[in-house]
Amino acid sequence: MHDKIDIGEFRIRPGQKLTSGDLMTSWSGPPPFDALAGKKLKKHAREFLEQQRAELSDVQERLYASDTHSVLIVFQGRDAAGKDSAIKHIMSGVDPAGCQVVSFKAPSAEELDHNYLWRCWKAVPERGRIGIFNRSHYEEVLVVRVHPAILANQRLPERLVTEHIWQERYEDINAFERHLARNGTVIIKLFLNVSFAEQRNRFIERLTDPEKAWKFSARDVAERKHWDDYDVAICEMLAATSTEHAPWYVVPSDDQWVSRALAAHIITETLEGLRLERPQLSGEERAKMADSLKSLKAERV
């Protein structure tokens, strides 16, 4: 069934002109997704996610064994879009030894004394491993753009803070990702897109459900006042930084189980495209293994 889902439907073309109306927050999908709703949709999406997790577990083992590529998965999205829960549900079947998650918060004093990509360079996954950025270097062209005071706190030379700074940062980010890709890192960027109304519902749920209250931040509600500003920043960022070597996928996220299933499918489909195989043993290695097996069977136990 999942072969019918074309991940290209969610991919942003390089340089594509975008408005917020071009970015899906909900998705009906091919059969049977298009005919389901409520509990039936949730059940089907969970079953589909389970299939994807099994595939991801297998491909992650091949990735680790081949030791030729690394994988960087970037999760971005508005507040309450479901980034944390998506990472938890998608990666729950992956061997922890082959996966790392880095959550980028407000930069520390040490990080502010370096260029804004410095902390990301340190977190890039090694060969054979999957690295996940929960938020990322893209905060530098989203939150920082919407809130100029953050840019001022970065203490850049005044002559470098011009009207071209966002375009320059797009160029820097593209060069950073191109370098990674040229050295064997597969980059998958997922923007979890939630609607204004659904975000409100999730904030209300956090305020009224004691088990979810810990997730609530008054700052998140304050950020809703900047929704339109974020619309502009998001659309421009997606168009300027979706490239052949590091594409953006916009994942409709008003339904969290569908969002998780689609995100998992995009990841597994991309990694399966690498056609990774477990290392093949040479004749000499197989002969040594045969000798070792013979020796073990001859032991008295």
Side-chain angles (χ1 to χ4, degrees):
M1 183 276 298
H2 63 266
D3 292 337
K4 297 178 183 177
I5 300 177
D6 178 13
I7 65 173
E9 179 181 355
F10 310 101
R11 183 170 177 161
I12 301 299
R13 299 189 305 275
Q16 182 178 349
K17 299 298 182 184
L18 296 169
T19 67
S20 59
D22 298 320
L23 309 180
M24 292 185 291
T25 59
S26 61
W27 177 78
S28 58
F33 278 99
D34 61 341
L36 299 173
K39 291 183 179 180
K40 289 184 178 180
L41 177 61
K42 179 178 178 180
K43 180 177 182 293
H44 182 73
R46 292 184 69 163
E47 291 172 351
F48 180 66
L49 174 60
E50 189 62 35
Q51 295 172 13
Q52 300 307 299
R53 278 202 296 244
E55 289 186 32
L56 182 57
S57 177
D58 180 70
V59 76
Q60 185 267 335
E61 184 177 285
R62 284 180 275 140
L63 173 78
Y64 188 82
S66 64
D67 201 28
T68 54
H69 292 80
S70 59
V71 176
L72 174 60
I73 306 171
V74 174
F75 279 86
Q76 284 287 152
R78 296 182 188 267
D79 297 319
K83 298 178 292 296
D84 292 349
S85 62
I87 293 168
K88 173 184 175 181
H89 284 89
I90 294 169
M91 307 307 294
S92 62
V94 172
D95 185 348
C99 182
Q100 63 197 53
V101 179
V102 181
S103 296
F104 289 99
K105 307 296 184 182
S108 66
E110 179 186 21
E111 289 167 346
L112 285 171
D113 277 335
H114 292 80
N115 71 76
Y116 68 88
L117 287 173
W118 179 72
R119 64 178 182 167
C120 296
W121 271 114
K122 297 196 303 176
V124 168
E126 63 195 77
R127 296 189 195 282
R129 291 173 63 86
I130 296 174
I132 296 173
F133 285 2
N134 185 356
R135 298 191 185 271
S136 67
H137 42 298
Y138 284 99
E139 297 293 287
E140 294 293 329
V141 292
L142 293 175
V143 178
V144 177
R145 179 171 180 170
V146 172
H147 297 285
I150 300 176
L151 182 64
N153 194 43
Q154 293 181 348
R155 302 190 297 278
L156 292 170
E158 187 175 343
R159 63 183 174 80
L160 298 179
V161 183
T162 72
E163 62 181 4
H164 305 297
I165 190 167
W166 308 119
Q167 182 59 43
E168 291 167 352
R169 288 196 169 187
Y170 299 146
E171 292 171 1
D172 292 341
I173 289 170
N174 287 341
F176 164 64
E177 293 175 350
R178 183 170 59 246
H179 174 78
L180 294 179
R182 286 175 173 172
N183 285 273
T185 299
V186 178
I187 303 170
I188 306 167
K189 300 183 299 194
L190 304 172
F191 188 86
L192 274 54
N193 197 37
V194 67
S195 67
F196 189 70
E198 178 59 24
Q199 187 192 66
R200 173 181 177 273
N201 293 339
R202 293 180 188 179
F203 285 162
I204 290 174
E205 187 176 14
R206 291 177 182 183
L207 286 166
T208 55
D209 185 343
E211 293 188 0
K212 295 185 177 181
W214 65 273
K215 296 181 179 181
F216 179 74
S217 168
R219 183 195 65 80
D220 293 343
V221 174
E223 285 293 274
R224 280 173 65 81
K225 298 176 182 178
H226 303 282
W227 187 275
D228 291 342
D229 295 328
Y230 275 108
D231 269 348
V232 173
I234 289 166
C235 288
E236 188 172 307
M237 176 270 291
L238 292 172
T241 60
S242 190
T243 60
E244 292 299 327
H245 54 271
W248 272 110
Y249 295 89
V250 175
V251 181
S253 298
D254 276 3
D255 185 299
Q256 286 193 300
W257 283 104
V258 170
S259 174
R260 295 161 188 163
L262 290 175
H265 180 50
I266 291 167
I267 293 169
T268 54
E269 188 90 345
T270 301
L271 298 187
E272 287 290 6
L274 296 176
R275 302 186 183 282
L276 296 170
E277 299 291 344
R278 293 170 179 80
Q280 299 298 310
L281 298 176
S282 67
E284 182 180 353
E285 289 170 326
R286 287 195 295 272
K288 288 181 178 179
M289 288 182 66
D291 288 341
S292 296
L293 178 62
K294 182 178 179 181
S295 177
L296 287 168
K297 287 184 174 181
E299 288 180 358
R300 288 186 175 182
V301 292

